[in-house]
Amino acid sequence: MKKGLVLEGGAMRGMFTCGVTDVMMEHGITFDGMIGVSAGAAFGCNYKSGQAGRAIRYNKRFCREPKFCSIRSLLKTGDLYGNEFCWHTLPDKLDVFDREAYRANPMAFYAVCTDVETGGAVYRRCDAGDEADFEWMRASSSMPLVSRPVVIGERKLLDGGVSDSIPLKFFEHIGYEKNVVILTQPADYEKKPQKQFRLIRMALRRYPNLVKAIARRYIRYNQTLAYIREAEAQGRAFVVRPPEKLQIGSVEHNPDRLEEVYQIGRKTGEQCIGEMQKFLEV
């Protein structure tokens, strides 16, 4: 029976996920495969490389660095989160990503992106952890309006959360029968229609299928939550959720706030780690 780990995105709510997964790594929990969306891909790759603590460390260190994330970066490059700094300088020089350990880990790792021409999901297995794989992870976490589409081959790609925010159904479809799912919203959360839809429709009018996907995202998301609750009730999924709404946004320049959300994740992980181990052992 193949065991999987499914990571939702949510921008800086991903610090909660990092807290949970760091506890899991410290307890030696392994999977046959994992799949991450948006921040779930950008931070989740550290699970495959075995680098507990890396994501919270570099986010706290560089959250006030304009080249990391700023309006200045958006105006200068078209990307709120700077490509060169975040995906090259940082992992290659400042807080080195262990590519060798990533490649040596037999666990499969998938990133989810959205094709801006079709509005559909694209699932990419990333085995090497090299620059080519990082482009897929960058695309997965490139939020509409504040990111340029990432061009890979003939595709133009953006945030995977637009098309498949929590890809449990996909992972089950490719053979992962027992899955741990880490969400970044509490149990009572229900997604609402996009408030900025008029702006989105105007800014992305060149990509009508992407606009349609964004318009229907809240419907698909809520349907996915219902599917996850069913999987949880049937014993196919073990779901980890924040105990309450996380007080953090898509951008966070306060390292103390990042640490606070990370610690909520750690506490939640420590509370459920025993039950999770039992779920995976059955």
Side-chain angles (χ1 to χ4, degrees):
M1 179 178 290
K2 292 173 69 175
K3 300 172 183 178
L5 175 61
V6 180
L7 304 183
E8 182 181 9
M12 287 301 107
R13 295 198 311 274
M15 289 296 98
F16 170 82
T17 302
C18 292
V20 177
T21 54
D22 281 357
V23 169
M24 291 163 62
M25 280 191 273
E26 291 161 10
H27 282 78
I29 293 181
T30 60
F31 297 89
D32 299 297
M34 68 178 294
I35 186 165
V37 181
S38 195
F43 303 150
C45 60
N46 294 291
Y47 204 105
K48 184 168 166 63
S49 65
Q51 292 177 277
R54 178 174 178 268
I56 182 62
R57 182 174 63 238
Y58 75 69
N59 273 281
K60 288 176 63 178
R61 179 181 174 187
F62 297 113
C63 64
R64 290 174 174 161
E65 167 58 57
K67 293 180 182 179
F68 180 72
C69 175
S70 66
I71 296 299
R72 184 190 308 177
S73 173
L74 177 62
L75 295 175
K76 185 176 180 180
T77 70
D79 295 313
L80 182 66
Y81 285 87
N83 172 30
E84 185 61 34
F85 186 88
C86 293
W87 295 98
H88 298 278
T89 304
L90 196 162
D92 291 343
K93 299 177 181 179
L94 301 177
D95 197 321
V96 176
F97 181 71
D98 193 338
R99 300 179 194 275
E100 184 175 343
Y102 181 98
R103 287 191 292 270
N105 187 337
M107 178 181 67
F109 181 86
Y110 293 80
V112 185
C113 304
T114 300
D115 186 313
V116 303
E117 300 287 359
T118 68
V122 181
Y123 307 91
R124 172 72 177 191
R125 180 166 170 167
C126 302
D127 289 327
D130 56 10
E131 289 190 7
D133 282 351
F134 268 25
E135 280 294 275
W136 284 94
M137 297 176 202
R138 179 168 77 92
S140 179
S141 55
S142 291
M143 298 178 288
L145 296 186
V146 294
S147 308
R148 297 168 296 171
V150 177
V151 179
I152 301 179
E154 297 182 356
R155 297 184 186 272
K156 295 179 181 178
L157 303 165
L158 281 175
D159 193 334
V162 171
S163 52
D164 193 354
S165 296
I166 315 166
L168 174 60
K169 186 177 291 188
F170 168 79
F171 233 34
E172 289 183 334
H173 177 72
I174 64 172
Y176 291 88
E177 301 170 86
K178 188 175 282 286
N179 293 283
V180 172
V181 181
I182 303 181
L183 305 180
T184 57
Q185 296 285 10
D188 61 353
Y189 179 76
E190 181 180 355
K191 200 167 191 64
K192 305 297 183 183
Q194 175 61 250
K195 292 181 179 179
Q196 299 175 320
F197 186 67
R198 288 185 179 180
L199 174 61
I200 290 170
R201 184 169 55 189
M202 181 179 298
L204 300 174
R205 59 188 179 275
R206 289 180 296 171
Y207 308 115
N209 289 324
L210 178 65
V211 172
K212 291 177 183 177
I214 293 172
R216 291 185 52 81
R217 182 183 181 187
Y218 78 101
I219 298 173
R220 290 194 306 274
Y221 186 92
N222 293 331
Q223 291 172 339
T224 298
L225 288 182
Y227 183 84
I228 289 170
R229 287 192 290 268
E230 179 183 355
E232 185 178 23
Q234 294 176 354
R236 305 192 327 263
F238 184 93
V239 185
V240 183
R241 304 174 176 88
E244 57 188 12
K245 181 178 175 61
L246 299 170
Q247 300 302 314
I248 196 167
S250 298
V251 176
E252 183 54 68
H253 298 300
N254 183 345
D256 292 336
R257 180 59 58 81
L258 293 167
E259 179 68 24
E260 178 183 336
V261 173
Y262 172 77
Q263 289 299 333
I264 293 172
R266 285 198 63 91
K267 183 177 180 180
T268 303
E270 289 164 355
Q271 289 173 340
C272 72
I273 197 71
E275 291 183 33
M276 185 188 298
Q277 289 172 323
K278 290 179 182 177
F279 168 80
L280 292 169
E281 287 170 0
V282 174

